[in-house]
Amino acid sequence: MQFIIWFSEHWRLGYRFRIVFMAAFLIVLVALLYPFQSTTVPQWNLRVVDDAGAAVREIIVTEHWQDYLLEADGHEEALRTNQDGWVSFGARNLRANILRRVFARISKFGSSDRGRAVRYGAVVVWGQKEYETSVAVYQGDFPPAEIRVRRLR
């Protein structure tokens, strides 16, 4: 109640107070609505090798990623390794404002993840009959730089 009385007195006092108040209000509004960027999975350079350590050429590597807090659906991209067994996926970024992040966290509060941001990234190596399908998972620090696939024949 004291604040309302103080505010109404200052509002009547003048134009300068109204300008300062409106400027502060706009700054807070912009800060709440600006879509800040976060990285779900950083750039992932991966070398695929067989159990003997030799590069596996032209095998399909599919990257899967999702920020479970902010996205309802996951994403994927499939690439083939080059002649040296390397494949490179760009950084997977997401933009969301503070209000969206807060409401998403509140809406997940009672769920099993307790409102924590859960970012997921993984690659699946597949597509050649000579090799077993393999998976590598990104768990927060740095994505694995190498994945070994077992030769079946």
Side-chain angles (χ1 to χ4, degrees):
M1 190 63 152
Q2 293 283 356
F3 174 75
I4 295 172
I5 294 169
W6 175 86
F7 184 79
S8 63
E9 288 173 3
H10 281 81
W11 190 263
R12 282 181 288 179
L13 283 178
Y15 181 73
R16 180 180 273 167
F17 177 77
R18 282 183 251 162
I19 293 296
V20 170
F21 176 79
M22 292 305 278
F25 177 77
L26 286 174
I27 289 170
V28 169
L29 187 64
V30 167
L32 290 174
L33 297 178
Y34 180 78
F36 292 98
Q37 180 174 296
S38 59
T39 300
T40 305
V41 179
Q43 181 175 343
W44 196 337
N45 300 315
L46 180 73
R47 185 162 190 242
V48 180
V49 295
D50 64 14
D51 31 356
V56 179
R57 300 180 183 109
E58 298 296 320
I59 195 165
I60 300 170
V61 181
T62 303
E63 181 184 33
H64 301 268
W65 71 96
Q66 182 177 359
D67 185 322
Y68 289 116
L69 185 63
L70 297 171
E71 299 178 296
D73 298 317
H75 312 277
E76 68 179 46
E77 179 182 10
L79 298 173
R80 287 189 182 272
T81 58
N82 66 15
Q83 295 302 313
D84 297 321
W86 286 96
V87 65
S88 182
F89 296 98
R92 306 309 180 174
N93 300 314
L94 175 70
R95 289 190 165 277
N97 63 44
I98 292 173
L99 287 177
R100 180 174 170 208
R101 292 172 192 267
V102 167
F103 287 129
R105 195 168 292 271
I106 290 169
S107 71
K108 302 258 184 181
F109 186 69
S111 68
S112 62
D113 65 3
R114 295 193 174 96
R116 285 177 270 149
V118 178
R119 294 184 176 123
Y120 170 77
V123 290
V124 179
V125 180
W126 62 282
Q128 287 187 8
K129 293 178 184 177
E130 304 88 51
Y131 297 101
E132 186 177 80
T133 299
S134 297
V135 177
V137 178
Y138 167 70
Q139 295 183 346
D141 293 330
F142 298 101
E146 184 176 277
I147 185 169
R148 289 192 177 270
V149 292
R150 201 177 95 197
R151 187 178 283 274
L152 295 175
R153 297 181 196 187

